[in-house]
Amino acid sequence: MGDFKQSGGCQCGAVRYTLNKKPEVIYTCHCTECQKQSSSAFGISVRVEKASVEIKGKTATFTKSSGDKLTECEYCPSCGSRLFHKRPAYEQMMNIKGGSFDDAAWIKPAGHIWIGSKQDWVVLPQGDLTYDGQPDNYDALTQAYQRN
Ligand SMILES: [Zn+2]
Ligand SMILES: [Zn+2]
């Protein structure tokens, strides 16, 4: 675990990053915001400590507010790939969008949230944690991820 290192970046390569520590948790989100944002069926959230990420290249920021939640969404200004989500409420942490890693083989989500709006054809692995909407907290997901 001390030797953890994974790199990724945007589609055009102008923004690159290296993650130097195992994530706190990985989960998929099937909410309609993540479907829009990813232009796909769901988002993959890789929650990491900000201090464990080195970023090269400049991102642009789009700020999205839904209800009382504010999300700073960072993307590559050249190719538009969404890369990072930050919430002012979680100062030390950020989410890396899981599809942006060069190697996705190590990405194993511990669970799946907002499956109430999941697309019907997406079949989830049996035994994974699932939540119809937003979980009250990420404790169970984090414990499940750290056990693996
Ligand atoms: Zn790019
Ligand atoms: Zn979502």
Side-chain angles (χ1 to χ4, degrees), residues 44-117:
I44 306 170
S45 292
V46 179
R47 178 168 293 185
V48 302
E49 284 174 29
K50 280 182 187 171
S52 65
V53 190
E54 291 167 53
I55 301 168
K56 288 201 186 101
K58 251 200 150 354
T59 56
T61 302
F62 157 69
T63 302
K64 171 77 188 170
S65 59
S66 47
D68 57 348
K69 277 194 318 194
L70 203 70
T71 307
E72 292 162 6
C73 312
E74 295 189 25
Y75 59 95
C76 170
S78 303
C79 70
S81 296
R82 188 70 68 83
L83 294 168
F84 314 119
H85 281 186
K86 295 173 182 169
R87 288 244 171 90
Y90 300 94
E91 231 178 304
Q92 322 289 337
M93 308 301 290
M94 63 187 262
N95 284 352
I96 299 177
K97 304 307 289 179
S100 66
F101 282 96
D102 297 336
D103 173 17
W106 62 277
I107 292 181
K108 305 255 190 298
H112 315 276
I113 70 173
W114 287 97
I115 63 165
S117 48

